[in-house]
Amino acid sequence: MFGYLRPDYPNLYMKDDTLYRAHYCGLCKSIKKRSGNVARFSLTYDVAFMSHLLHAIKGVDVKIEKKHCITHWIRTTPVAIPDDISLDLADVNLILAHYKCVDDVIDEKKGKIKSLVVKKGYKRAKKRLPEIDEVVKNSYERLRKLESDKSDSVDIVSDCFAEMLKKISALMLKDFSNDTSENIFYLIGKWVYLIDALDDYDKDIKNGTYNVFYESFKSCDYKTLISENSGDLNFIFGSIIYAVNEEVKNLKVKFNKDLIVNVLTRGIPKTTKRILTKNEQRQII
């Protein structure tokens, strides 16, 4: 994953800020428990939010305690105590990190050291969650095929990541999975892939790396892409944001929905606006 799923902090309740950070630190602890200290670098904000979302949908509240850790060794910080969900997510995080590193090596000829660092933890995670490993493996294989074919379809290419997260959520939630939860994870996957592609536009062109927006619009740089195609980009991201807002209305959770609403209905639009308007004086969305 890429780390784009974050709250809109100015509109985040203090209790939810504590909860969000506790989930992040709890997952970090879970990764250590599953795969050792070194693997902790692979944790992303995306997976931390997934932890909160899965706990809320399954109706499993976290136990929070103040603890010291590798980055908070002087003062204690609130930490969600590892449970079955966070331990499984720690494995999911390692599986996602492994295939992201493999993809980076293939695309950009970099990431070999990171790949070696997560390799041991990945092997353990694969043994514990073989179905999820297969889902991620197949999704990346499908994505690489589309990339090698220089696909110019934003929907088809982003569907790889979207379907991957949808299937992961169904396997994690089991009987708690429903159309709303699967649709939300699908939309998260679609948005994460596309916002990363937009954010990396100039870098991908410079490195000669596949970028679905370049294949779709053929703009020479990011500034030109935005200035010439703002209407299409508004429609692409606006459609996702609208769909997310509609699905959130149908989401049934037993507690802590405020954080979910903040990240999905405020955080996603805010990050989208930030990336769409970087280096630009005028506002696109």
Side-chain angles (χ1 to χ4, degrees):
M1 299 289 279
F2 306 99
Y4 289 102
L5 275 174
R6 302 194 186 194
D8 175 23
Y9 285 104
N11 290 289
L12 186 67
Y13 294 118
M14 289 182 66
K15 67 178 180 65
D16 292 323
D17 182 38
T18 300
L19 181 62
Y20 182 73
R21 295 175 190 276
H23 272 287
Y24 187 91
C25 293
L27 264 177
C28 189
K29 293 277 190 183
S30 296
I31 292 172
K32 177 188 175 182
K33 192 170 183 178
R34 285 292 208 197
S35 304
N37 267 318
V38 179
R40 295 164 110 175
F41 87 92
S42 64
L43 177 59
T44 68
Y45 289 103
D46 300 336
V47 181
F49 175 70
M50 285 173 61
S51 174
H52 177 72
L53 188 52
L54 291 172
H55 277 88
I57 293 173
K58 295 188 78 170
V60 178
D61 207 354
V62 293
K63 181 180 179 181
I64 298 176
E65 295 180 0
K66 285 196 171 185
K67 291 183 173 290
H68 292 285
C69 70
I70 194 168
T71 57
H72 300 91
W73 53 276
I74 296 178
R75 294 192 301 175
T76 57
T77 188
V79 176
I81 303 304
D83 56 20
D84 289 343
I85 296 174
S86 64
L87 289 171
D88 281 346
L89 263 179
D91 286 335
V92 171
N93 184 82
L94 262 294
I95 291 170
L96 291 170
H98 166 75
Y99 284 103
K100 176 67 167 61
C101 288
V102 171
D103 196 53
D104 286 343
V105 171
I106 293 173
D107 287 346
E108 303 176 31
K109 303 299 185 292
K110 69 176 187 180
K112 291 183 179 180
I113 294 176
K114 288 184 180 179
S115 182
L116 291 173
V117 169
V118 302
K119 188 175 182 180
K120 187 176 181 180
Y122 160 70
K123 287 182 177 179
R124 293 173 180 171
K126 179 182 177 180
K127 287 182 180 179
R128 285 188 287 259
L129 299 176
E131 289 182 285
I132 289 180
D133 178 73
E134 191 67 18
V135 166
V136 180
K137 176 185 175 183
N138 291 339
S139 296
Y140 268 98
E141 286 178 349
R142 180 185 167 206
L143 180 60
R144 279 195 289 272
K145 176 65 169 58
L146 290 168
E147 290 177 349
S148 66
D149 292 341
K150 303 294 184 183
S151 174
D152 61 359
S153 173
V154 171
D155 281 333
I156 291 175
V157 175
S158 61
D159 182 72
C160 298
F161 240 73
E163 280 291 331
M164 180 181 74
L165 281 200
K166 176 183 175 180
K167 290 176 181 177
I168 288 175
S169 75
L171 289 168
M172 293 284 290
L173 290 170
K174 297 183 173 63
D175 293 342
F176 291 91
S177 181
N178 53 51
D179 288 344
T180 298
S181 66
E182 290 184 11
N183 288 342
I184 287 174
F185 275 93
Y186 179 91
L187 291 165
I188 287 173
K190 190 181 188 75
W191 177 79
V192 165
Y193 179 85
L194 292 178
I195 204 67
D196 180 66
L198 187 66
D199 200 18
D200 287 348
Y201 192 84
D202 280 339
K203 184 184 77 172
D204 288 341
I205 291 177
K206 180 180 178 180
N207 295 335
T209 305
Y210 174 86
N211 187 293
V212 68
F213 289 117
Y214 177 76
E215 298 302 330
S216 297
F217 300 110
K218 300 296 184 182
S219 299
C220 61
D221 56 30
Y222 174 84
K223 185 176 181 180
T224 305
L225 172 72
I226 298 298
S227 64
E228 294 182 352
N229 304 284
S230 62
D232 289 325
L233 292 171
N234 269 316
F235 178 78
I236 291 169
F237 287 101
S239 297
I240 296 172
I241 290 169
Y242 175 80
V244 168
N245 276 269
E246 290 301 300
E247 292 296 339
V248 168
K249 293 177 184 177
N250 299 320
L251 182 64
K252 306 296 183 184
V253 296
K254 294 183 179 179
F255 43 71
N256 298 330
K257 190 173 181 178
D258 289 335
L259 176 57
I260 295 170
V261 172
N262 179 283
V263 173
L264 295 181
T265 68
R266 288 182 177 273
I268 285 179
K270 185 174 183 178
T271 298
T272 303
K273 183 185 294 185
R274 174 176 61 81
I275 293 174
L276 276 171
T277 59
K278 66 179 180 180
N279 301 323
E280 289 289 317
Q281 294 299 314
R282 64 192 183 89
Q283 182 172 299
I284 306 299
I285 280 186

